[in-house]
Amino acid sequence: MSGAVSASEALLGAVRAGRMGEAAGLLDGMTDAERRACLPALKDLRKELRAAPWDAASRKAYPALHAAGAACHTGAAGTAAWLTAADLRWSQASPGVLLHVLGDRERDWLGDVAHRLAERPPLAQVPYELMSGLVRLSGCPVPTTETYVVGWIEQVGSLWQRGDTILQRLRQDPYTAELVAAVFEIPDIGSRLDWLFGDGPDSWFNALAQLTREGALDRKATVDACVARLLRGGVPSDCRVFLRLLTALELTRDEERERAADWLALASDAVSTVASHAQSVLGSLALDGELTPRQLAEMSGGVLFRTEKKLVRAQLVLLGKALRCDPSSAAELLPAVAQAFGHEDTDVQERALKLVERHLDAAPPEVRGEVVDAAEELSPGLRVRAAETLGLEGADRVSEPYVELLPPAPEPARVPPAPDSAVELAEEVGALLASGGDVAAFERTLDGLVRHGYRDRDALAEALKPVVTRLWWVDADPRYPSVEKYFRTDPHGLEVVLATLLGQVSTATLHRADQHGPMTDPCVHSAVAAAFNARLWEAAHRLSTDPLPFLLATPTWGSGLLEPDELVARLDEYRRLGARPGETDFAQALLRVRRDDSTASAAAAERAAALGTAEGNRLALWLTTDGPSLPWSSRRTSGVRILLELGELDGVPGEFPPAFQRIGRPVSLFKARAYCAHYWDRAERHHWLAVVPGRRELVAARLLRELSSVAVEGTRGDASVLPLLAEAPGEAGEAVHLGVAYGLGARHPEDRLSAVDALLVLAAQGQLDTERLGADLGQLMRRGAVKPLRLAESVRTAATTGAYATVWEILRAALPVLLADLATDGAAASARGFGELLAVAAECAERTGARGCMAHLAQAADRRGSSRLVTQARRLRATLDHGVAA
C-alpha cells in the first residue's frame, strides 16, 4: 500500500510540475491497480486547475495531466471521456505521447477506445493521429464516423507536410476503399472540406477517378453513390464537390443511359449547377435518339417551371432541336412546350409561343386544343397574338375591368393590462428577454414590473430569479465595477429595472444615470434613444428610492398613442394615492396622448384641470393647444445617397426634461457621426416610434442613413423597421418614402420583402404617394444607389400580390429618368437590369389596361437589336399605344 501511495505521490508531483517524460516513465512501470489508485489524486488536481487562473503554471501541468489521467483509467469509456474533456482540450498531450502511455493495453481495449473517440462529434477536436494510431495498434475495423473520415481527409490533403501526392497516399492506405465509401454518407461534407478539394492534376477528384480506373475503387458503387448524393441535395458546396467528382469519372454513354431516371429527377429538382449538368446529359441522349419523346416531355415539365432563365431557355432550344429532328414528336412535345406559357418571364413565354407556332400544324387536333387552352396563361399582350395565330377563342370579348387587390389596412391593437400575478409577469419577462417583443409586450411588462415592485418587491424578485439566470450580471463579482458601468452607459431595455429589483445595481449609479444620462452623443439617433432610455433609468431609480404605483405613459394602443381619458384617470389615481409622478414618465405621457379628436381632448382637459394638481393643469393646457408641427426638411446628397436634414421641431415645452427637449433639435447629417452604437444595435429601434407616436417622419429621417445602407453598402436587416414605419400613425412624407425606396433596392431579399410589405401597407392605407416614390427611385437609380435589377425583383413581388396598378404608377414616374439618360447618352448608367424593370412595367400596363405615352420610351423602343431592354421597351410602347388589358 505504501508503494502505491509513493507511486501516486511521485506521479502527481511530476504531473503538477509538467514533467511529461518522468510521468510517462512512472506510468510504464505501474500495474492496473496502481493506476486506479492514482486516479483520485489526478481528478482532484484537475478540479484545482479548473478553478485556478489560466497562468503559466496551470498551462504547464495540463499536457501531463491529460496523458496521466487517460493512462490511469482502466475502462475504455472513462479513457475516451478523459481524452475529449472540454477543459483539457486546449492543452493536450501529443498523440505520440498518448499512444505511448496507452500502447501496452489489450488490443480489444485499444480498439474500443478508438471507436469511442471516433464517435465523438467534430467539435470535440479529437486528433486523427491518435485515432488512427489506436486503430493500427489494435487491428480493429476502421471507424467510418464523421469525425474519423473528416480527420482522414484533412490528413491525406496536407501535402505541404510531405512530398508525395494525394494519389500516392490513397494507394498506400489500406482503408481507402472503406473511407471513400463513407465520405458519401457524411452530411455537409463539402461545406467543411471544399477548400481541400482543389483543381489540378493532384486534386482529390483526379485521384479518386484514377483509383476507379485502376479498380482500387468499385466504379459502379462510386458512380451510384455520387449520383445518390446529388439526388439527396444539400448545401451548394456539397453539390459542387460531388458534381465535380462525377464529372471527373467521365461516365460512358451506357452509364449515362442506365441512369436516365436519375438525370430526370436532377434536372427538375437539383440546384442550378447540377440541374444544368443533368440537362446536358439528357439533351445529348435525346438528340441521339436514346431518350423517348415522352421522357423528354417529362423532363421539360420540371425544367420549364424553374426560376433559372438559362435552364429554361436551354430547354426550349433542346425542344426545338428535337422537333426539327423528329416532327412526329409534336404530339408529345408541344404540350410540354405550352407549359412555358405560364412562366413569369414574358421572354420565355414568347420563345415558347414561337416554337408552338412553328410546329403546331404537325400536331393532331386534340394536341392543338390542349395548346390553345394553355395559351390562356400567356401575358395579355402575347395572348392577343396567340388568338390570331392559334385561333384562341374569345379574343374579341370585352375584358373585365381591372380590380386592384391590396392587403387590408392594419387595425390598431390595444395594449393589454399588466399581469396580475408576479409569477405570470416573470414568465412574460422571460419571453421578452428571449424574443425581444413588440411595443405592446414591452410596455405592459415594464408597467407590470413597476406595479408589482410597488406592491411587493421581495415577492417579485423571488419570481424573477429563475428567468434572469442567463443574464451575465446576475452572479457578477461585486469587486468589479463592470455592472455599474454597464448600466451607467445604457439601461439595456428592461435589464436595468430587473437588476434594480434584484439588487445588482447601486442607487448612486441609477441616480447619476437618471439625472444626466449619456447626453453628449452627437449621433442622429441619440435624441429619440435618450428619451427612451431616460424613462427606463427613472423607473429603475424610483424603484430603489420612491416606487411608482404604476406608469403614466403606458400606451393605450400598440402604436404608442395614449387616450386622454386614460391619462386623466391615471393622474386622478396618483392624486388619491399621494404619489409623485415621474418627471420623465409624465413627459412621455404628454408626447403620447392623442389630440386629433378636439371634442374628446376638450372634455379630457376639463376633467384634468378639475384635479387641482400641477400635472393635471399641464395636461389640460397640452390638450387645448396645438401639438408640435413637423419641422421643415431639406434634401442633401452624400456620395450616391440622398438624405434629409430636419429643422427644429416647434412646440416642445421648456419644462420637459432635457432628454425630451433634444427631440426637437435640428438634425444635421454632416455634423453627426455616420456610425454609432445605435447603427449596430437594432434591438430598440422599433420602440422609437412609440416615443413620438404620430410623428414617424422624425424617426424615419434619423434612420435614413441606415436604410440607405441596405442598398448602397449591402448591409442586412436594417430595412426590418420599414413595415413598422408604414403601420405607424402620422404623415408619411419624404423620409418615409425615401426609406421605402432604399428598401426596394436592398441587396438582401429579406430587406426587399420588408420594403414591399411597407409599400403595400401604405397603399392600403391610402398614404402612398406613388409619384413621389417613383421620382425618388428614378433619382436613386440614376445616382447608382439603387440597382434596377434589385428594384425589378421588389416591384414584381409587389405586383404579383395584386397591386399591379400601384406598381405601374410608381414605375411610370421612375422610368422616364433612366429613359432620358438612355436617350441622351446612348447607354444608361445603370443599364443592367433596366430591361427587367421595363418587363415589370409592361406586365403591369397590360394587366391594368394603361394607355398614354411615356417620355423617352420611343427612343428606347426604336434602338436596334433584340436585347431585353429593347424588346421590353417595344412591348411597353405597344401596350400603351393599344391598351391591352387582362
Side-chain angles (χ1 to χ4, degrees), residues 106-155:
E106 294 180 358
R107 297 181 61 171
D108 290 345
W109 186 91
L110 292 172
D112 192 3
V113 173
H115 279 265
R116 288 178 183 274
L117 293 176
E119 288 168 1
R120 297 282 174 168
L123 289 176
Q125 299 180 356
V126 183
Y128 170 75
E129 295 85 351
L130 174 60
M131 294 184 289
S132 61
L134 292 172
V135 169
R136 184 179 65 254
L137 291 173
S138 66
C140 67
V142 65
T144 55
T145 63
E146 179 179 357
T147 294
Y148 194 92
V149 174
V150 170
W152 173 72
I153 292 174
E154 291 177 338
Q155 180 73 10

Side-chain angles (χ1 to χ4, degrees), residues 292-302 315 319 332-333 335-336 339:
T292 66
R294 181 174 295 277
Q295 288 177 308
L296 183 55
E298 179 187 348
M299 168 195 176
S300 302
Q315 190 66 22
L319 288 168
E332 294 279 0
L333 298 184
Q339 293 181 62

Side-chain angles (χ1 to χ4, degrees), residues 376-388:
E376 291 290 344
E377 300 295 324
L378 289 166
S379 67
L382 290 175
R383 201 181 311 149
V384 172
R385 170 177 159 183
E388 299 172 355

Side-chain angles (χ1 to χ4, degrees), residues 616-822:
N617 293 333
R618 285 180 61 188
L619 175 58
L621 179 62
W622 182 262
L623 289 172
T624 53
T625 56
D626 294 332
S629 58
L630 286 176
W632 58 264
S633 62
S634 177
R635 290 195 169 211
R636 295 287 185 267
T637 59
S638 176
V640 298
R641 290 176 167 88
I642 298 175
L643 302 173
L644 291 178
E645 288 191 327
L646 297 182
E648 187 170 356
L649 179 67
D650 296 327
V652 178
E655 62 268 23
F656 268 29
F660 281 84
Q661 289 187 15
R662 296 183 67 192
I663 295 174
R665 294 179 184 174
V667 176
S668 176
L669 299 173
F670 303 103
K671 292 182 180 179
R673 297 201 308 268
Y675 302 100
C676 61
H678 306 107
Y679 183 88
W680 310 112
D681 184 7
R682 309 184 184 104
E684 295 174 357
R685 288 181 186 176
H686 58 292
H687 293 294
W688 296 349
L689 286 163
V691 173
V692 283
R695 300 174 181 85
R696 55 181 163 184
E697 278 289 293
L698 292 179
V699 178
R702 295 176 187 277
L703 290 175
L704 204 51
R705 180 173 287 276
E706 285 75 27
L707 291 172
S708 68
S709 295
V710 301
V712 177
E713 299 173 10
T715 58
R716 186 193 297 268
D718 285 303
S720 61
V721 74
L722 286 174
L724 300 176
L725 282 169
E727 294 174 11
E731 178 185 343
E734 274 192 298
V736 171
H737 281 78
L738 262 177
V740 172
Y742 281 118
L744 292 173
R747 175 183 178 183
H748 298 287
E750 60 269 31
D751 286 315
R752 294 198 294 270
L753 284 175
S754 294
V756 169
D757 287 344
L759 184 152
L760 294 175
V761 168
L762 289 172
Q765 294 173 333
Q767 297 173 331
L768 181 67
D769 187 337
T770 55
E771 189 75 24
R772 167 181 278 173
L773 180 58
D776 286 342
L777 286 167
Q779 291 301 323
L780 291 174
M781 285 189 289
R782 167 183 277 176
R783 298 177 64 84
V786 167
K787 306 293 190 296
L789 186 59
R790 296 175 185 172
L791 176 60
E793 294 176 2
S794 296
V795 293
R796 180 181 288 112
T797 301
T800 52
T801 66
Y804 289 99
T806 300
V807 171
W808 165 246
E809 293 300 324
I810 294 170
L811 294 180
R812 186 176 65 174
L815 289 174
V817 179
L818 293 185
L819 290 169
D821 288 346
L822 192 68

Side-chain angles (χ1 to χ4, degrees), residues 493-555:
L494 291 180
E495 287 189 41
V496 70
V497 179
L498 297 173
T500 301
L501 289 167
L502 295 174
Q504 290 296 108
V505 59
S506 69
T507 303
T509 293
L510 294 174
H511 177 73
R512 286 195 298 271
D514 182 34
Q515 293 298 313
H516 305 290
M519 303 294 290
T520 58
D521 192 345
C523 77
V524 296
H525 319 96
S526 60
V528 186
F532 175 73
N533 291 342
R535 183 161 165 256
L536 293 168
W537 273 316
E538 180 187 73
H541 182 240
R542 289 293 296 269
L543 272 172
S544 65
T545 56
D546 180 17
L548 297 166
F550 52 83
L551 292 175
L552 294 171
T554 303

